[in-house]
Amino acid sequence: MQKQPHKNKIAKIGLGLLLCALLVVYCFVPVLAEGSLYQPDFDVQAEAVYLVNGDSDLAVYQKNADTPLVMASLVKMMTCLVAIEKVQDLDAETVTAKQWVFDELYGKNASNADIWKGETLTVRELLHAMLMPSANEAALMLAEHVSGGYIPNFLYMMNSKAAALGCTGTTFADPNGLSTDNITTARDMYLITKAFMANPVLVEIASSNSYEMAAHNHPAPYYIATTNRFLVASDPYAKKFNSIASSVVAGKTGSLGEWQNFASKAVKDGVTYYCIVLNSPNAADALAAEKQYTQVRPALYETGQLYEWVFANFSTRAALDVSKPITEIRVKYSTETTTVRLMPESDLKTVLPNGANDNTIIKNFHLPEYLSAPLKQGEVVGTVTLVLEGQEIGTANLLVSQDVNRNWVLFGVQKIGEFFGTVAFKILLVVLVLAIAARVLWVARANKNKKQQAKATQRPPAQGAKPQLQNQPKASGQPPRRPPQNKGRDDRDRR
């Protein structure tokens, strides 16, 4: 009883040491973001991020990729996508700015392209106004034009387009992004951005740093500028990230509060990346804090960090060599070979850290136990799935490397042997054995019956019974014939 307090003290000390160890691990060991292949060497403050290699469709880094967040002006990317699919001629079709548009935006301090009431602009001009200074009046004008004057119809087209692209967490509530009911996820925004960047007209517009608007009702033509500061070589953000700024092909910003969104595409040395940054807090803009800028661009700043990190530390290369066999498999029914080598159909490009070797990639083969000849070169017989850091990076078909002919003797012997092992043969064998057994029993019983009948015919007559002559004739209407007498006796009688 006296030793019990000592044991309790030791237990408490051990528990304290364990908790300290866990605290050290939690504080100092980096934890990968959910579903990420790699972790940046800096703190990412945005609520959600999706950084994807465009050549392999592989998410190199992601953070809260499926968390629904407010879209803000990223909505205008979908507005442009839907509009450009419905408009036949961007320069021939025109739209007039109506009073309701300005009533809708009154007092909201919304970004604009200085379009005046009653002005008539081409669809191309409206696209520039939306994608460069993020003009809200241009988005409303274009939505009204495409929908035939009924905005809910345009919203239906926007949401239908998102669903067709595979978006599962996106909802559009207006065509310009001012409503906080416009919701998306970083993963969905990647799908929308990818579709947007596939349209060369939209990419050309979104990659412009300035554009001259026609005068229309203005005294003279005027210029509008982009909010994507990576496109302006003299801008402090372009200078800060000068190693990648010129690689940013196009992008779209958006903000409704103390945060910013930015969706973009960058291409450098033939390698493509998409970067979606959602709800990056203003505090993430270290450049604005250093220079004491009044207008902050946190999503732009964090995008620059992510692009610099991924382009500097990773390379895109083939994970498989289509000219070399990747495995081999056993072959049956052939005397030419007992195994055949298999080749990958595609090289499955992937992203690997600079200096990494192929041993970091796990190959999971999906093949039968063996192949049966004949086989043709190039025939698909299975697949291989590559796994990197727990994430599947792709699946490739496996092809037969050579023709393999069948040996029919081996095939016949094998099939006969296989037949002897089948259930059908076993059932047939049982039936045959039963038939033979039944035949043997039947023959035995028949023989026994014959013996019993034979014994019955050979049994002596009962005592006192009149013996029967063996050749006694059957009863008839005439007397029996007298048996012939001895000839010698007959002769004597005649003498």
Side-chain angles (χ1 to χ4, degrees), residues 152-170:
N153 187 39
F154 190 82
L155 297 179
Y156 174 80
M157 288 187 277
M158 294 175 74
N159 286 303
S160 297
K161 180 66 175 180
L165 292 176
C167 300
T168 58
T170 298

Side-chain angles (χ1 to χ4, degrees), residues 179-202:
S179 172
T180 55
D181 292 332
N182 290 296
I183 301 296
T184 192
T185 67
R187 194 189 307 274
D188 282 2
M189 202 64 228
Y190 160 65
L191 299 176
I192 295 171
T193 303
K194 191 175 181 180
F196 179 94
M197 298 296 178
N199 189 296
V201 175
L202 295 179

Side-chain angles (χ1 to χ4, degrees), residues 447-474:
N447 289 337
K448 183 178 179 181
N449 291 337
K450 285 181 179 180
K451 288 180 181 180
Q452 290 176 349
Q453 291 176 1
K455 286 181 180 181
T457 55
Q458 294 175 5
R459 186 178 300 168
Q463 188 174 3
K466 185 176 181 179
Q468 298 290 328
L469 294 176
Q470 186 174 3
N471 296 322
Q472 184 176 1
K474 296 181 179 179

Side-chain angles (χ1 to χ4, degrees), residues 76-360:
K76 295 183 178 76
M77 296 178 73
M78 180 59 81
T79 301
C80 291
L81 264 176
V82 172
I84 203 167
E85 291 178 357
K86 302 296 181 181
V87 175
Q88 299 297 321
D89 191 327
L90 302 183
D91 299 305
E93 293 193 35
T94 59
V95 185
T96 301
K98 298 179 182 179
Q99 180 63 47
W100 77 268
V101 171
F102 302 95
D103 293 341
E104 179 71 20
L105 299 176
Y106 180 77
K108 295 182 179 180
N109 194 29
S111 55
N112 61 81
D114 197 23
I115 298 173
W116 294 356
K117 183 185 70 173
E119 279 193 303
T120 300
L121 289 80
T122 66
V123 171
R124 188 182 299 276
E125 287 178 314
L126 292 176
L127 292 174
H128 275 88
M130 274 194 293
L131 294 175
M132 296 178 66
S134 197
N136 288 279
E137 76 276 28
L140 294 177
M141 291 169 61
L142 195 54
E144 182 191 34
H145 174 73
V146 172
S147 66
Y150 188 58
I151 299 297
N153 187 39
F154 190 82
L155 297 179
Y156 174 80
M157 288 187 277
M158 294 175 74
N159 286 303
S160 297
K161 180 66 175 180
L165 292 176
C167 300
T168 58
T170 298
T171 302
F172 292 99
D174 65 32
N176 53 9
L178 290 180
S179 172
T180 55
D181 292 332
N182 290 296
I183 301 296
T184 192
T185 67
R187 194 189 307 274
D188 282 2
M189 202 64 228
Y190 160 65
L191 299 176
I192 295 171
T193 303
K194 191 175 181 180
F196 179 94
M197 298 296 178
N199 189 296
V201 175
L202 295 179
V203 171
E204 179 186 2
I205 294 172
S207 60
S208 304
N209 57 20
S210 65
Y211 179 75
E212 183 180 0
M213 298 283 283
H216 300 301
N217 294 3
H218 288 70
Y222 62 100
Y223 285 89
I224 55 175
T226 182
T227 59
N228 179 4
R229 308 314 296 169
F230 287 142
L231 300 177
V232 183
S234 60
D235 190 88
Y237 289 89
K239 292 180 178 179
K240 170 67 178 177
F241 299 102
N242 61 348
S243 64
I244 58 91
S246 61
S247 303
V248 179
V249 176
K252 182 72 187 74
T253 61
S255 178
L256 282 178
E258 299 299 311
W259 48 262
Q260 187 187 39
N261 296 338
F262 188 45
S264 61
K265 174 185 177 181
V267 180
K268 184 177 181 181
D269 299 328
V271 179
T272 301
Y273 280 97
Y274 293 87
C275 187
I276 311 300
V277 175
L278 298 182
N279 288 202
S280 177
N282 288 348
D285 190 348
L287 181 62
E290 177 188 348
K291 302 294 185 180
Q292 297 183 346
Y293 295 149
T294 56
Q295 187 175 12
V296 295
R297 294 181 172 87
L300 210 70
Y301 186 89
E302 291 203 291
T303 297
Q305 285 183 301
L306 289 165
Y307 277 145
E308 280 191 336
W309 168 71
V310 76
F311 279 118
N313 294 284
F314 299 89
S315 58
T316 303
R317 61 179 186 265
L320 298 174
D321 188 343
V322 295
S323 65
K324 295 181 180 179
I326 189 173
T327 188
E328 62 180 4
I329 189 171
R330 186 164 60 95
V331 176
K332 297 179 68 174
Y333 316 135
S334 176
T335 54
E336 298 175 348
T337 181
T338 57
T339 62
V340 65
R341 294 182 297 177
L342 303 180
M343 315 287 287
E345 186 177 35
S346 60
D347 58 12
L348 289 183
K349 285 186 177 180
T350 189
V351 180
L352 292 173
N354 295 336
N357 55 52
D358 294 339
N359 295 331
T360 57

